[in-house]
Amino acid sequence: MKALHFRRWACAVFVTSASAMGATQAQTIYRCGTSYSDTPCAQAVTVPTADPRTPAQKAQTDEATSRSANLAGQLEKARRADEAAAQQRAQAQTLAIAQAAKVAPKPQTDGAPVKAKKGGKHKKVAGAAAEKVSKPKLSKPKKPDGFTVKVPAPAKTPP
């Protein structure tokens, strides 16, 4: 918010100073190589500084600049409002998901009682819903049919 006010203030200062400079007499500017100065050098080239626009054209340009600045401010305000609304929707959605996870019924077993086993472990009684889950069997990799080189282990030396 502070940046927006600073931009508007800076724009107002620039427009005011630019219009004040236009009202004063144009100063002679000299170009000496790659630098510009108000004092001539040995091979100075005069740079034209007069504004070729009419006062009506200048007023039209100033008005267009003002309208553009106002429109930019409105668009920024709308964008910030849209971003705030999107953030609120995301927070509401996250909260709804969290509440739904708390309220959602937990999956139940087939209603069979749990019997205690030795050692304090529990096992479900075999029922229609109880299924044995087996781990997939891993097979050893097969040896290739072709020729392979085997390096013998180093011989053990007695201590």
Side-chain angles (χ1 to χ4, degrees):
M1 199 67 175
K2 290 181 182 181
L4 178 63
H5 292 297
F6 178 74
R7 285 186 201 154
R8 287 185 180 171
W9 177 80
C11 184
V13 168
F14 176 74
V15 169
T16 305
S17 63
S19 64
M21 284 183 194
T24 62
Q25 282 188 339
Q27 195 174 15
T28 305
I29 303 293
Y30 300 98
R31 188 179 87 191
C32 299
T34 59
S35 64
Y36 294 87
S37 174
D38 60 348
T39 56
C41 62
Q43 297 174 351
V45 177
T46 304
V47 178
T49 58
D51 189 2
R53 299 179 297 172
T54 64
Q57 290 173 330
K58 184 177 178 338
Q60 183 182 12
T61 303
D62 291 344
E63 182 183 340
T65 302
S66 176
R67 275 185 283 144
S68 295
N70 288 337
L71 180 60
Q74 291 172 358
L75 290 173
E76 182 179 7
K77 188 175 181 180
R79 178 188 58 82
R80 288 180 186 242
D82 289 345
E83 287 176 355
Q87 187 176 9
Q88 286 177 349
R89 283 193 304 270
Q91 288 175 350
Q93 185 179 13
T94 303
L95 182 62
I97 290 171
Q99 288 177 347
K102 289 180 183 178
V103 175
K106 295 181 181 177
Q108 295 181 357
T109 59
D110 60 350
V114 177
K115 289 187 177 179
K117 232 180 151 184
K118 289 184 181 179
K121 293 183 180 180
H122 299 287
K123 183 179 178 183
K124 294 180 186 176
V125 173
E131 298 178 13
K132 183 177 179 182
V133 178
S134 62
K135 294 182 181 178
K137 294 183 180 179
L138 301 175
S139 60
K140 292 183 179 179
K142 294 181 181 179
K143 292 184 179 179
D145 294 334
F147 174 76
T148 58
V149 176
K150 292 185 181 179
V151 178
K156 293 183 182 179
T157 58

